[in-house]
Amino acid sequence: MFIPYNPTEMQPGKSRRPVHALVAARAAQRRQQHQSPQFQRGLSTFVVEPEDQKPKDDLDKDRRRWTVQRKPGRTLPSPGPIGTGRFYPLATPASKGPCTARALSYYFDILLPHDSQVLSHAPAQRHTYGSVFLHWSAHHDIMLHGLAVFALCNLESQSEDLSAASAELHAAALYHRARLLTEIQHTLATGQVTDLLISALTLLITVDDHLANVAYSRAHTAGFEAVIRARGGESQVGSSVPAISQDLRTAANVARSLLVLHMQTSLSSEESESESPSPPPNPPTGDWDTYTLTQTLDIPKGFAALLKQGRITPASLEILASFHDWHDRYLLVDDPSNIPVWRHSASRPLNRVEKCIFVALLCLADDVSHMGLHPAAVIFRQPRKRAEMLLAVPPLWTDGALKDCLVWLWMVITTPRNRGLTPVRVQRGLWERITREVRGDLQAWGEVERVLRGFVFDGRRAGVWEATFGRLRGL
C-alpha cells in the first residue's frame, strides 16, 4: 500500500501523525475481527472513560495559575521519610504497640532488601524471602514484635542522643522487646519448636546483645542450643520453608556467633573486681618460646612485641592467624559486597587486653566487608559501646608497653565505615585523653601511620583514618 506523503504541506511537528493514525486504525480493525463478542463485553467492564478530559493546553494553564497563586513563604510539602507510607497486609498495626507501623515499614523497605543482597538472593528468591517474613509478621505476634524491636534499635541509633525522638524510639523498643520475650516464653511453654520460634529467638538474641543485656545473653547461650537440638539439629532448621532454609540456618549461626563473642569479649563486673593491679606478667619461657617463635613469624611486629613482653598470651595467636588468613585472602578486593564477614571463636580464655584486640579486629573486618554499609551495622558494629570498652581497661592507659596498641585500638574501633555511626563525642574524648596521658608526641599523620602499621593497617581504610586524625588535630 502506498500512502501519499508531502511534508511541505504539513507542520514540522505533525508530519508523521496521519501515517501513525492510519496504521493504528487498520490495526484496530484487525483486532476487532479476531475478538469474540464475549471478549468485547468483558473488556467493557474494565474500561472506564474519564468524565472530564481537559486538553493539554488547559492543564498547562492550570499549572501556571497554581504557581502564580501560591502564597509567598509557603513551602511545598516535603516527601515522606524513607521506609514509611507503604501498604502492608497487617491488621491494625498501630494497636500492636508504639511505633509498630513505622518499625515494620523500615524493616521491609530498608533492612530486608539489604539482608537479601547480603545473602546473594536472585530476584525470585528475594521475593520469597520477604514474603515469608511478611506472612509471619501478619499472622504471628511473636514475629511482629521481633521485627519491630530489631528495626527500632536501628532507628534509635540514627537519632540524636538524649533527644525526644531517641527517647520515644527507645521506649518503643523496650515495649516490643518485652512483648517478644513474653511471646517466646508462651511458645516454649507449649513445647512446640518451630522455625518461627527459632527466627524469633535470633532476633531477641541480636537485640539483647545490642542493648547489653548481659544476664539474658548468658541465659540465651544454653537455651538457644537446647532449642536447636529440640528442633532436630541444625540440619532441620528451616525445614518448614525449604526455599529459605539456608537463610534461616545462616541467621541462627549469626545469633550463635553473637552469643559466643559477647561472652568472650565482655568485661564483666566479676572479672574487674577479681583483677588487681599486679605487675606485668613475665615473658613466656621454656616450651612457650618455641611456640611463640613459630607462630609469630606472620603476625605484625606490634603484636609480636606484646607477646614477647607477656601482655598477650598464645590464646590470641589463633585469633590473629584466623584474621590474617581472611584479610590476606580479600586484601585486593575493593567491592565490599564481595567480601564476607569474618568471625572467630576463641578456644581459650582471653585477658582484657586480648578482648579489646579481638573486638578491634571484628570492627575492622565489618568495615571492609559487606557489613560496613548495611543499615543494621550499628547492631553488630556497636562503635560507641566498644569505644567505651577501652576506658574499662586501666592497663591500656597506664602500661607503657600498650600505648601504641591503644592508639591502634582507638582508631579502628571509633571510625566505622558508615560515618553516621561514628561516636563523635566518645571518639574525641578518647583522643584528647590519649594525647594528654599516653602519646602526646603524635603531631603528624605520618607518625600515627607508623604506629598503625605496627599492628593491622588496611589501605582501604587509610583515607578515613587520616581524615579522622586531621579533623581532631584541627588541620
Side-chain angles (χ1 to χ4, degrees):
M1 180 182 67
F2 176 75
I3 301 176
Y5 175 58
N6 186 2
T8 60
E9 299 177 359
M10 303 179 183
Q11 297 180 6
K14 301 180 180 180
S15 59
R16 300 296 296 174
R17 187 171 297 175
V19 179
H20 294 163
L22 179 60
V23 173
R26 292 295 177 87
Q29 291 177 0
R30 288 194 297 270
R31 286 196 299 269
Q32 290 177 358
Q33 293 174 359
H34 292 84
Q35 291 172 356
S36 63
Q38 291 84 358
F39 178 83
Q40 293 291 341
R41 288 195 298 270
L43 181 63
S44 64
T45 62
F46 291 95
V47 177
V48 179
E49 295 293 337
E51 297 179 358
D52 184 16
Q53 292 184 344
K54 292 185 178 181
K56 183 177 183 300
D57 294 340
D58 293 342
L59 293 176
D60 293 338
K61 292 179 181 179
D62 289 342
R63 294 192 189 100
R64 290 194 296 269
R65 186 182 303 111
W66 181 82
T67 304
V68 173
Q69 292 177 353
R70 282 190 304 171
K71 296 181 180 180
R74 183 177 180 180
T75 59
L76 296 176
S78 59
I82 296 176
T84 60
R86 297 194 181 184
F87 170 76
Y88 298 105
L90 303 174
T92 60
S95 64
K96 299 294 184 178
C99 302
T100 304
R102 179 183 178 186
L104 294 178
S105 181
Y106 183 78
Y107 177 81
F108 286 106
D109 292 349
I110 307 299
L111 297 179
L112 188 140
H114 279 82
D115 285 341
S116 184
Q117 182 179 2
V118 168
L119 294 169
S120 301
H121 285 165
Q125 192 174 9
R126 184 183 306 117
H127 177 75
T128 302
Y129 183 75
S131 298
V132 170
F133 281 93
L134 184 60
H135 174 79
W136 278 351
S137 61
H139 295 85
H140 304 280
D141 285 352
I142 189 174
M143 182 55 62
L144 181 144
H145 293 295
L147 297 180
V149 65
F150 182 78
L152 287 170
C153 287
N154 285 273
L155 287 170
E156 181 192 359
S157 66
Q158 301 172 16
S159 303
E160 185 178 355
D161 294 343
L162 305 179
S163 64
S166 177
E168 178 187 7
L169 293 172
H170 184 71
L174 294 181
Y175 171 85
H176 287 286
R177 191 261 173 198
R179 290 294 306 273
L180 172 61
L181 180 60
T182 301
E183 293 290 339
I184 288 176
Q185 292 173 340
H186 175 74
T187 305
L188 289 173
T190 64
Q192 297 180 353
V193 178
T194 63
D195 291 327
L196 175 64
L197 173 62
I198 293 176
S199 298
L201 280 171
T202 60
L203 292 169
L204 179 62
I205 290 170
T206 305
V207 168
D208 280 347
D209 182 75
H210 172 69
L211 297 176
N213 291 332
V214 180
Y216 281 100
S217 295
R218 292 174 178 170
H220 292 326
T221 303
F224 190 63
E225 293 299 328
V227 170
I228 296 294
R229 289 194 299 270
R231 181 63 178 149
E234 183 179 346
S235 61
Q236 294 301 312
V237 175
S239 57
S240 64
V241 278
I244 62 169
S245 58
Q246 183 60 42
D247 302 329
L248 297 184
R249 285 193 290 270
T250 300
N253 288 328
V254 170
R256 279 172 161 171
S257 67
L258 280 177
L259 290 173
V260 173
L261 292 175
H262 184 90
M263 299 304 297
Q264 292 183 349
T265 61
S266 64
L267 303 177
S268 62
S269 58
E270 293 82 359
E271 180 185 0
S272 61
E273 292 175 358
S274 62
E275 283 192 355
S276 59
S278 57
N282 295 323
T285 58
D287 295 337
W288 278 35
D289 278 335
T290 303
Y291 180 80
T292 300
L293 291 175
T294 57
Q295 296 294 325
T296 58
L297 295 177
D298 295 331
I299 68 174
K301 61 180 182 180
F303 292 125
L306 294 180
L307 182 65
K308 293 178 180 179
Q309 295 170 354
R311 270 55 175 188
I312 61 177
T313 68
S316 60
L317 291 178
E318 63 180 43
I319 299 175
L320 294 172
S322 173
F323 177 84
H324 280 283
D325 287 343
W326 172 87
H327 189 254
D328 292 344
R329 188 179 306 117
Y330 299 101
L331 184 61
L332 300 179
V333 180
D334 294 328
D335 186 1
S337 62
N338 296 326
I339 303 178
V341 175
W342 172 77
R343 290 294 183 266
H344 183 78
S345 177
S347 60
R348 305 181 186 182
L350 305 176
N351 62 37
R352 311 191 91 190
V353 174
E354 291 171 328
K355 289 181 179 181
C356 292
I357 294 173
F358 193 6
V359 164
L361 294 176
L362 291 170
C363 292
L364 181 56
D366 285 352
D367 290 339
V368 300
S369 69
H370 58 66
M371 182 58 70
L373 294 178
H374 195 287
V378 66
I379 297 291
F380 304 95
R381 182 62 164 76
Q382 303 176 1
R384 182 173 61 184
K385 184 174 72 174
R386 289 174 171 177
E388 293 173 346
M389 177 182 181
L390 302 179
L391 297 172
V393 185
L396 290 175
W397 304 90
T398 59
D399 190 347
L402 296 172
K403 60 182 181 180
D404 287 348
C405 183
L406 174 61
V407 175
W408 176 77
L409 292 171
W410 165 81
M411 181 64 80
V412 172
I413 293 176
T414 64
T415 54
R417 183 182 183 89
N418 185 347
R419 298 185 182 183
L421 304 180
T422 303
V424 179
R425 297 176 184 175
V426 178
Q427 183 187 62
R428 180 175 293 275
L430 287 173
W431 174 248
E432 291 176 351
R433 183 176 175 182
I434 289 174
T435 56
R436 184 174 62 251
E437 301 179 10
V438 182
R439 287 298 306 266
D441 57 325
L442 297 177
Q443 301 296 326
W445 165 246
E447 299 171 350
V448 177
E449 183 178 355
R450 281 193 293 272
V451 172
L452 300 180
R453 288 187 179 276
F455 298 90
V456 178
F457 187 86
D458 194 300
R460 293 164 292 190
R461 304 291 300 149
V464 177
W465 291 344
E466 182 178 2
T468 299
F469 172 77
R471 175 172 51 83
L472 294 178
R473 289 292 301 171
L475 300 179

